[in-house]
Every structure is written in C-alpha cells, then in structure tokens.
Amino acid sequence: MRTLNLGILAHVDAGKTSLTERLLYNAGAIAAIGSVDEGSTQTDSLALERARGITIKAAVASFPVGRTTVNLIDTPGHPDFIAEVERALSVLDGAVLVVSAVEGVQPQTRILMRALRRLGLPALIFVNKIDRGGADPARVLRDIAAKLTPAVVAMGDVRGAGTRDAGFRRYGAGDAGFAVALADLLADHDDRFLAAYLADEATASYPRLRAGLAELTRSCRVHPVFFGSAITGAGTGALAAGLTRLLPAAGGDADGPVSGRVFKVERGPAGEKIAWVRMFSGTVAVRDRVRFGPPGFCPSGRAKVTAVAMAGQAGRGTPSAAVTAGQIGRLWGLAGIQIGDQVAAGPDPADPGAGGPVGREAAAGLQFAPPALETAVLPAQAAGHPGGKAALRLALAQLAEQDPLIGLRQDGPGQDLMVSLYGEVQKEVIQATLAADFGLDVTFRESTVICIERPVGAGEAAEFIGTPPNPFLATVGLRVRPGAVGSGVTFRLGIELGALPLAFLKAIEETVRLTLREGLRGWQVTDVEVTLTRSGYWPRQSHAHGTFDASMSSTAGDFRQLTPLVLMAALTRAGTRVHEPVHRFRLEVPAEACGPVLPVLGRLRAAWRPPAADGAVCLLDGEIPAGEVSALERLLPGLTRGEGVLETEFSHYQPVNGGAVPVRPRTDHNPLHREDYLRNLRRVAPGRADGG
Ligand SMILES: Nc1nc2c(ncn2[C@@H]2O[C@H](COP(=O)(O)OP(=O)(O)OP(=O)(O)O)[C@@H](O)[C@H]2O)c(=O)[nH]1
Ligand SMILES: [Mg+2]
C-alpha cells in the first residue's frame, strides 16, 4: 500500500470537516455520515468543537483509496488556531485547499495558498458548497485565478449550481476544451512539450496530457480545481480519485536511519502522553529506544517506546506494531516529548546539528506569523485558594505541551502566568478547556501586543577562568551583532571546534538561546548573531587520592551560569531597540463610509495608500500596528453600518515610536544590566566566588 499524508486547509467554515466526513464515508471507513451541525463528525471530536461547530485542533483520519492509504489531517480554519495548521504543514505530502462556492476566495485562503506555494506543497483546490443558494462556480474559478494563482485548471463542470441537485461532471478525453486547456498549461510550463507540440499537434494525446498534468501538479506548478458538495456528496468521488492520481505518495527508506517528526501531542484516558509522528525515514517499533528533541538540537530526551499504533488504528495497536517511513503513527511511552520534536534512534551524532531538521520546516522556517498578543491568566478564586495558582500553572503547562506557541511563562512583580495568543477566540477556548478538563475558573487581563528586541550595533564581553570576580570554572567570550531580518538567533563558533568539549559547547549554545528570550527590555531578542569568541575550562581532576573534585574541574553548570552574564553584558554594549508587529491590511467599505474611516485609521497609527473606488465600494490598503487591529475591528461595524470587510496579516516589525523614545520595559525582572554585571557575578554564586 502507498501512503498519502494529506492536509485539508481552508478559511473558517468552508467545509473542511464536512468534506473529511464525506471522504471517510465514501471510502467505507465509517458506516454513517456525521454532521458538524449535530456535533457528530469524526475529526471534530473535542466537546468544545462539537458544542461550537468549529475545528480547534488538527485531527487525523485514515481511509483507503484504491491501493493508497490516505492519512487526512483536518485543520482548523479560524486564524486564532493557525499554529495547528503550521504543525500539520511540516508533515504533509499534499493538500486540498477548500474554497466555498458562495463566499469564494477569503482572507485565510490567500494566506494558506501562499504558504503552500512557498513550501512547494502540491495542492488540489476543491470548490465546495455548490448546492448552496448563491453558489457561483464560474465566478469562484475566476476569483481563484485572479487572487490565488493563474496556474489552475478546472477538472470538470457544474450543473444546477445553487440547488440541492447540483452535480459535478468530470471532463474526459471527449472534452475538446479541456484538452486545449491542458495543452496550453503544459506548453506554458514545459519547453520540450511546447517544441514537440508545435512540430506535431498529435503529441498531445489525452493520456500524455493527463500524465503531464499529474507531473505539473506534483511539482506544485499547477493546481487542478474540483467542484462539489460535502453535504450532498457531489464531486467528492472525483476528488478522491484525483488525490491518488495527481498527488505524490509519501517516500522514504524504511530501512534508513530513523527520522520522524512529532506534529501532535495528546493525552490518553489515563493521562498518558501520546505523540503523533510522521516518519520520513526508518522504522520505529514497540520497545525501540529513541531519542527526541527540537530539530537541529541535541536530543532533550531518550525513552523506550511502549506502544505503537498506526494513524487509522483504534487503541494502542498490536504489540508487534511499527511505524515506518512515509507513515503516520502514534507512539506511547515518550514522557518528555513535545510537539515539533524530531525523533531519531541510535547513538548521539557527534555534531548535534547533524542530519538537520526533518519535514517541511527543513526547507523554510515558520510559515505564519508568531502570536502577536499576550495576556495574564488569573485564577478566579485566587484569594480563597492559595493552591489555585499552582494548579493553574500545571494545567497551563499541559496545554502548552499541545500548543507550545502559547509560550507559558511567569512575569512581572506578581509573577503572573502569561500566555501568548493569536486572538480573543483562543482566549475563550483556553478558558473553556481549563474549566472542562481541569475544573479551573480563570479570567484574563486585557491582551497586549508582543514586541521583540533587535540589537542596534555590535558588543562584546568575556570572563576568564581563574580571574576574579569570575566565580565559575569557565572562560566564555561572546560577540553580539545584528543578524538578517527574519534570521532569528544564529550561534557561531569563533573558536576552533574541538577546543572545548562538546557538552560545554552545547551548554553555552542552549543557554544563549534561553537567555535571549528576554533582552534588555524584557522582550525576546531576535535577528541576532552570537559568536563564541573565547572559551576555556579546567579538565576533570581529582586530589591525590580523592575522587572527582568539582572545585577544580569545570562542569557544564559553570558554562550555564556564566553564559547569561557575559551575554547580557555584550548585549548591553550592543544595545537593543524594541520593535512592534505591524499588519498589512485591506479594507473594503461602502464609498460613503470612506470619509469617516480615514481619521480613525489615522488615530490607530495606520498608514495607507490613496483609496481606490470600485463602484459603490472604497478599497483601502496599508499597514497598521498589530496592537491596534482589535480596536479597528471593534469600531468598523459602527463606521460602515456593518458592511466593512477587514483583512489583516502580519507584515513585519517596526521600531516602537520610530525608535526615538525609550520604551518602557516589559518586565522588571531582568536584572542583568551593565552596572549590575559584576555585582551579579558575586551574588549568583557566592560559594564559588572566593574558592574559584
Ligand atoms: N450547503 C452546504 N453546506 C455545507 C457544505 N459543507 C459544509 N457545509 C456547512 O458549512 C458549515 C461549516 O462546515 P465545517 O465542515 O465545519 O467547516 P470547516 O471548514 O471544517 O470549519 P472550521 O474547521 O471551523 O474552519 C456547517 O454548517 C456545514 O454544515 C456543503 O457542501 N454544502
Ligand atoms: Mg472543521
């Protein structure tokens, strides 16, 4: 059997979950078809999803199509849950992008299509809801070509659009128009075909054209468009056939080195951790020992797999089960594993980065913007229950396992529990989940925007072993300078590899990354290059007849403690500037509302291009600080009698206040400023300060 790991992506409510249910039913994987509206589908299985009728978590369902097992990942469409899509994208072979035949291309559709094309991920487009009143397949096809990509081809036509009897007819060899469209497409993308075709039109036999289309689809150069209805089932058979004919199957060597990627973590009935893994190479079986950790990092954990089940299998699977290259499976027994981790086996590689990240992230970093908001989660009954906060911290830590982007941390004078957010709906989901699963009542502070710090210039610092006041048995020198925009944190070696034991090197790099989570003003420092310029240690040694003596031998702990001090000193010399996220926006308002809207945009610090009139509609596009978007969303209905349509998407970071005015620090618990530097050295390790 071949395997196809398929994502279903779309704007909220386009019909992903309904389509998933229909495909499962068509394939005989379920006996009765469930409904989103009745809360009975396979993939919206959480109580909250059923109650609200929206997808919150990505869910996997499997079904056969001919000789292919399709592992389908149904993703949420609401932008607050984009992190779920992000994680799914890294394990897919192909995707179906669903577009509503009534609403057409929507803001999230464009964002998703851009991500698919950036990743080179092959995708079919399914125009759903042809049975609904107002469905206009021809208009939506034009919309797709204009707003998503011109490289599309309709795979059939629709009869009776907008009625319960709407049907889809697949084009075949007899449809001359289809053959011409395919020949044009191939000629556009394939010079050899064009030359042969010009010499002799008979080259374009129908099988040749179909084979050419499959090739262009697999290489993500063309997106075939199907039409249908998840509710009536129209067109869904043709789509299923298209999945196996047009999308590539999963590859990978089952006997190769073990390499997999965790894209979902959940808890079983007894609270046990279950990791969903996509295997890219090798095989993992029950009782295998595996190691795991973030991509490109040294492993953060090692454990024995206690049970394995295939994606479509119920329960824990059979004891002999294994998951192998190309497949998706569930692994039990890996207590410390996290979403995004890479799974490997065998001895540690000499170079922690060896092998590199697997999955689509290997080709490109994060596809979507990180959360732009943060808020404090407060236990509602904190006053009466001193244990309330501890219980809340535990519960939030469990939520963070399943969604690391919430970035749980403690902050501020009251050590509030802080989480990062995409939006207000995510807040409601966190609140409802804490109540239902943990019996915890919480409230939130008002969300505020998350900024970043970027270094302004270069700065260096060093501390030497055995040289007071350095109390640690370690020499660390670091240079900080600005990195390219979007490059994150780059760690470089300015010393010879081998000059320092690998464990110490790892300790320094990990500590550098950890320390940069809070810069001089408390925000994450990013787009920064950190170079290790000096290093030194005392080898393991003992007194004459004694055992290992920590007072004369360097340990990784020495490097972990010294690195933040040196790094913050270097960063202080470099200086940092606080940047806030900025969104691109596109606003459609009735022409007469344009006048009143502009001053409001100005107050919200937006910048825009001259408005364009399109009949009775005024189109505005420009940029607005992310922190002002929710205010605009609140004001818009009143300004436009409910007719304004706003699309926003992360664009870039800009210096707060143009960089002119110093920004209030985010927290007050980053004490490592230059004047405190030496004082801190003594304070952090008083025991060592004299003895070292
Ligand atoms: N008439 C009609 N309604 C549909 C069709 N597909 C979905 N719906 C309805 O559209 C609504 C949303 O469907 P879902 O399947 O939940 O959409 P989704 O894309 O999974 O939504 P999210 O996961 O929340 O983004 C439901 O009320 C469905 O019954 C269709 O083909 N025709
Ligand atoms: Mg859904």
Side-chain angles (χ1 to χ4, degrees):
M1 286 289 268
R2 303 183 335 149
T3 305
L4 167 65
N5 299 303
L6 178 78
I8 304 256
L9 314 177
H11 189 91
V12 68
D13 261 3
K16 298 170 290 292
T17 303
S18 306
L19 178 61
T20 302
E21 196 72 10
R22 171 62 64 176
L23 292 171
L24 287 171
Y25 177 74
N26 287 355
I30 50 175
I33 193 157
S35 146
V36 171
D37 309 293
E38 283 155 25
S40 56
T41 61
Q42 297 294 307
T43 47
D44 278 359
S45 58
L46 302 177
L48 200 56
E49 294 181 313
R50 295 184 170 212
R52 287 181 157 242
I54 63 164
T55 304
I56 294 165
K57 294 257 173 224
V60 186
S62 298
F63 58 93
V65 180
R67 293 180 42 76
T68 303
T69 300
V70 178
N71 295 322
L72 184 158
I73 307 185
D74 176 23
T75 63
H78 196 288
D80 280 14
F81 310 117
I82 191 84
E84 291 286 309
V85 184
E86 179 89 63
R87 292 187 272 271
L89 282 177
S90 65
V91 301
L92 300 179
D93 304 306
V96 172
L97 184 64
V98 181
V99 180
S100 161
V102 182
E103 281 84 11
V105 172
Q106 293 171 283
Q108 199 71 355
T109 328
R110 291 201 242 209
I111 292 173
L112 293 167
M113 183 58 141
R114 276 204 291 275
L116 291 170
R117 291 186 65 87
R118 266 197 308 267
L119 287 167
L121 197 62
L124 310 182
I125 296 173
F126 184 69
V127 177
N128 188 34
K129 306 196 184 182
I130 59 168
D131 62 302
R132 241 184 71 192
D136 187 346
R139 172 179 56 80
V140 172
L141 185 63
R142 286 195 302 274
D143 209 26
I144 290 171
K147 293 182 180 161
L148 295 182
T149 165
V152 291
V153 58
M155 299 300 287
D157 58 16
V158 176
R159 306 273 157 88
T163 70
R164 190 76 193 167
D165 300 323
F168 175 73
R169 186 187 67 91
R170 204 182 335 174
Y171 292 139
D175 291 288
F178 183 51
V180 169
L182 289 184
D184 281 353
L185 261 184
L186 259 63
D188 277 353
H189 288 94
D190 183 344
D191 289 342
R192 270 187 324 184
F193 175 86
L194 178 62
Y197 184 59
L198 290 177
D200 176 10
E201 279 196 15
T203 346
S205 70
Y206 188 67
R208 168 81 181 81
L209 291 172
R210 291 292 310 219
L213 174 66
E215 206 181 299
L216 290 178
T217 307
R218 286 186 193 127
S219 54
C220 194
R221 283 179 290 172
V222 169
H223 302 280
V225 183
F226 294 80
F227 298 83
S229 163
I231 296 299
T232 67
T236 54
L239 175 70
L243 296 179
T244 55
R245 289 197 196 138
L246 296 167
L247 293 176
D253 177 4
D255 300 320
V258 169
S259 174
R261 190 181 169 89
V262 177
F263 64 95
K264 180 178 167 81
V265 165
E266 58 186 8
R267 295 261 169 189
E272 75 279 19
K273 210 181 218 184
I274 308 168
W276 287 82
V277 63
R278 150 86 201 246
M279 296 301 296
F280 288 91
S281 160
T283 299
V284 172
V286 177
R287 285 190 288 279
D288 281 357
R289 272 191 84 75
V290 295
R291 51 191 166 79
F292 44 86
F297 245 63
C298 48
S300 57
R302 284 180 193 72
K304 199 181 210 174
V305 176
T306 56
V308 176
M310 301 290 292
Q313 203 172 20
R316 283 166 171 250
T318 56
S320 63
V323 56
T324 187
Q327 297 177 329
I328 283 179
R330 281 166 294 160
L331 306 179
W332 278 258
L334 311 178
I337 205 160
Q338 300 208 331
I339 278 192
D341 275 2
Q342 200 168 327
V343 177
D348 282 358
D351 169 4
V358 295
R360 303 237 162 216
E361 197 191 53
L366 279 189
Q367 288 308 311
F368 307 111
L373 302 172
E374 65 176 1
T375 184
V377 193
L378 310 167
Q381 68 281 61
H385 298 252
K389 190 151 157 194
L392 178 57
R393 185 174 338 103
L394 253 154
L396 285 170
Q398 277 210 19
L399 296 192
E401 264 175 11
Q402 297 170 22
D403 184 2
L405 285 185
I406 69 173
L408 176 65
R409 62 207 171 273
Q410 284 193 284
D411 206 12
Q415 286 291 289
D416 284 335
L417 291 161
M418 304 289 297
V419 292
S420 306
L421 293 173
Y422 279 100
E424 300 304 308
V425 176
Q426 196 185 356
K427 237 185 203 178
E428 290 169 32
V429 166
I430 291 177
Q431 188 174 40
T433 309
L434 288 172
D437 296 359
F438 301 91
L440 293 170
D441 238 1
V442 299
T443 56
F444 297 90
R445 287 238 175 80
E446 197 177 336
S447 309
T448 51
V449 74
I450 298 177
C451 295
I452 58 162
E453 288 179 44
R454 287 185 176 136
V456 180
E460 273 195 72
E463 284 295 330
F464 297 90
I465 195 165
T467 309
N470 177 9
F472 304 108
L473 300 191
T475 295
V476 173
L478 295 169
R479 182 170 59 238
V480 168
R481 45 175 224 175
V485 167
S487 63
V489 175
T490 313
F491 182 75
R492 294 188 193 288
L493 290 188
I495 58 161
E496 268 177 43
L497 195 64
L500 199 64
L502 194 61
F504 296 164
L505 213 52
K506 282 183 189 173
I508 296 174
E509 177 171 357
E510 278 178 18
T511 312
V512 162
R513 292 182 186 277
L514 212 64
T515 306
L516 289 175
R517 287 187 190 168
E518 275 180 39
L520 303 177
R521 307 238 148 226
W523 302 104
Q524 166 114 41
V525 184
T526 188
D527 301 343
V528 54
E529 204 182 287
V530 180
T531 307
L532 180 64
T533 52
R534 304 275 185 163
S535 72
Y537 70 105
W538 286 348
R540 251 180 109 80
Q541 50 191 311
S542 326
H543 291 296
H545 304 290
T547 47
F548 165 69
D549 184 346
S551 73
M552 26 197 305
S553 318
S554 303
T555 64
D558 287 305
F559 287 90
R560 285 187 205 283
Q561 296 197 67
L562 182 57
T563 299
L565 303 174
V566 176
L567 181 57
M568 291 312 282
L571 197 63
T572 306
R573 285 174 194 151
T576 65
R577 188 170 291 146
V578 179
H579 290 64
E580 65 181 332
V582 178
H583 283 196
R584 242 186 314 274
F585 74 86
R586 193 172 167 281
L587 185 56
E588 259 182 56
V589 299
E592 68 275 11
C594 204
V597 162
L598 293 180
V600 173
L601 285 176
R603 258 206 327 276
L604 298 175
R605 299 189 289 137
W608 60 92
R609 277 172 277 282
D614 181 4
V617 175
C618 167
L619 293 173
L620 276 160
D621 63 347
E623 286 166 355
I624 181 168
E628 312 286 2
V629 170
S630 59
L632 181 56
E633 282 169 346
R634 264 199 314 275
L635 294 170
L636 200 58
L639 290 166
T640 62
R641 281 181 284 117
E643 285 176 44
V645 181
L646 175 69
E647 293 176 17
T648 77
E649 185 187 359
F650 173 80
S651 165
H652 62 279
Y653 286 96
Q654 75 182 9
V656 175
N657 300 326
V661 189
V663 182
R664 187 174 56 85
R666 170 201 201 178
T667 69
D668 61 353
H669 70 111
N670 196 329
L672 306 174
H673 294 282
R674 179 170 27 199
E675 56 272 25
D676 296 333
Y677 178 41
L678 293 180
R679 195 151 26 95
N680 263 301
L681 274 182
R682 295 196 187 84
R683 203 190 60 197
V684 174
R688 275 277 180 86
D690 311 317

